Each structure stands twice: as C-alpha cells, then as structure tokens.
Amino acid sequence: MGEQGGPTLIQSVQRALRLLEVVAEREGRAHAKELARAAGLPLSTTYHLLRTLTHEDYLQRLDDGSYVLGHRIDVVRSHGTAARGVAQARPALEWLRDELSSAVYLARHIDGEVVVVEIVDSPKAPRIDLWVGIHHAAHATALGKSILAQLPAPEREDYLARHPLNDLTPHTVVDRRRLRDRLPAPDALAVDDEEYAVGVRCLAAPVTTADGVGSLGVVTSPASLRRDVPRQRLRSCASRVSRALSLG
C-alpha cells in the first residue's frame, strides 16, 4: 500500500495494458507510432513495452512493422472457462506430441472466435511461431478450417463476415467462395499446406463436445501430410480429447 493508504500501482504494467487496448481498438492491428500517440507515451518507451509484449506472445509483430494481438490473449481469455477440461485432456495431448514428434495445438470456438486454448510442446518438438494470432487466421490454418467446417452455416458466415481473409502466403485462400468450397467435411481432417506460413504444413481433426466445437492440430512434414499413421493417431487423440473436455 502507498503512503496515503491507496494501492501501489505499477506504471509499466498500466502502460502495457493500455497498448493492448489500443491495438484491439484499431481492429487488432496498429503501428508503434500510432500506439505511442494514442497511449500518450514516448516512442522509446512504447518500443520497450512492445518488445516485451511481443516476447511474451501477447502481441505479434508483422513484417510491415505493425502489431497484432498474439495467441496468449486467446489463452488468457479461454482458460478461465475451459481450464478444467484442458487439464484433463493434457495427457492425451502429451501422448500425441510424443507419438508424432510434433507440438500439439488445441483450439475451440468461443464466443464467435477461434481460440487456441493449449499448446503442448517440448525441446524435441518445439512450437511454431504464431506470427499472426489464430483468431485472425482461421481461414489459413488447419485448426481454423476444421472449426469453420463444423459450424452451422449461419455461424460460419458470421465469422467470415467479421474477419478479413488476410493474404499470409502465396498459398493462402482469400476468396470466401473458394474457401467455402475447400473446407473439409465436418468430420474430416483439415489441411494447411503452407497457407499460414511458408514451409509449415499442419493437420487438424475435429473435437466436439455438447457445448461447442474445436479442433486438434499438429505440424507435419510434406511426406507425412497424407500418410495414414499420423492421421489415425490424430483422429484417435481427438476422440480422447473430446471425451476429456466433455468431462470437464
């Protein structure tokens, strides 16, 4: 407590939170100079805070120098309501990580958004850099496409109407009609073949519970993208995760 009996406030924390608010207010994307102006901060201070927020994955810095909300925002948002189910699913996620030697990603459809709720990795199976938050890139990821495919048409159209289909790589599908045509069947695996990031390929399987849909994804090699064994193990794990989340 301070000398006057009030709470002791950490100014750097207040400033960092304000920068996150400003990015969100600007449709999830802003440059350092406009962030500094909006937050009333010196540019040098803003850069220090942005560097820290980026390192901790609360923000992601794009190639053009702008900043978007990072995947840790999704994790914080979702863990409050889904922590118990995710904890129960974690043994299955760790099993899949070890079986396929890949980081494992669990996403859910929460309040109209595609949210990464857990990432399980290891030094031998490191996670990829989520340089654009999944909430802005469902159209370009196996995780997102699996969830979009499972949604009823009105919910899917609502999501697509609220999210621009950003061109992330030369392989990204940015036409809504083409994207709809290329979505998998609701119970099928979804594929990301360098659509989110060049050199990155992923598979995702649907995860379903009584209160919503989700997906389970792994990074895979070009040779393994369509092999039966990783697909079977991914499907098996997705079933285990669905049961664990339902019990949560």
Side-chain angles (χ1 to χ4, degrees):
M1 302 289 285
E3 293 182 1
Q4 304 302 318
T8 299
L9 304 180
I10 308 301
Q11 191 176 55
S12 60
V13 175
Q14 292 177 308
R15 289 172 168 177
L17 292 172
R18 178 57 185 147
L19 290 179
L20 292 176
E21 291 175 352
V22 174
V23 173
E25 290 165 1
R26 280 158 173 72
E27 299 184 351
R29 185 170 181 168
H31 286 82
K33 289 183 179 179
E34 62 181 303
L35 289 170
R37 287 195 300 269
L41 298 174
L43 187 58
S44 59
T45 299
T46 300
Y47 274 121
H48 285 305
L49 293 170
L50 290 174
R51 192 175 300 115
T52 300
L53 290 167
T54 300
H55 181 267
E56 297 298 326
D57 291 327
Y58 286 97
L59 291 176
Q60 296 288 335
R61 187 178 186 276
L62 304 187
D63 289 342
D64 66 358
S66 64
Y67 292 83
V68 298
L69 297 175
H71 86 276
R72 290 300 302 177
I73 294 292
D74 292 338
V75 172
V76 170
R77 177 186 179 191
S78 62
H79 267 33
T81 57
R84 182 177 175 183
V86 171
Q88 291 179 331
R90 190 173 179 89
L93 304 179
E94 293 174 344
W95 171 83
L96 185 63
R97 175 200 62 196
D98 296 340
E99 284 291 307
L100 299 184
S101 299
S102 168
V104 177
Y105 303 79
L106 177 61
R108 302 291 301 275
H109 184 247
I110 300 174
D111 296 332
E113 301 295 334
V114 176
V115 178
V116 174
V117 297
E118 186 67 297
I119 302 175
V120 176
D121 62 355
S122 71
K124 293 183 178 179
R127 68 187 65 188
I128 62 169
D129 180 19
L130 296 175
W131 70 283
V132 176
I134 298 297
H135 51 286
H136 287 307
H139 65 293
T141 63
L143 288 169
K145 286 189 284 185
S146 177
I147 288 175
L148 290 175
Q150 296 174 71
L151 292 177
E155 291 186 44
R156 180 167 57 248
E157 293 308 309
D158 173 71
Y159 179 91
L160 294 175
R162 292 184 291 104
H163 295 80
L165 304 188
N166 295 312
D167 191 1
L168 305 181
T169 78
H171 306 284
T172 307
V173 176
V174 296
D175 179 84
R176 283 178 170 78
R177 181 175 297 178
R178 284 188 62 210
L179 177 65
R180 293 186 193 98
D181 291 342
R182 294 180 61 172
L183 290 177
D187 60 348
L189 297 186
V191 176
D192 159 20
D193 193 356
E194 297 190 290
E195 295 160 59
Y196 177 76
V198 173
V200 175
R201 296 166 177 85
C202 301
L203 287 171
V207 169
T208 58
T209 64
D211 61 350
V213 302
S215 60
L216 182 67
V218 294
V219 180
T220 188
S221 67
S224 298
L225 197 60
R226 290 173 176 82
R227 286 180 178 169
D228 287 340
V229 170
R231 285 173 164 257
Q232 291 168 355
R233 289 176 180 167
L234 177 58
R235 281 186 177 279
S236 174
C237 188
S239 296
R240 291 173 60 187
V241 171
S242 295
R243 292 194 294 272
L245 293 177
S246 296
L247 292 173

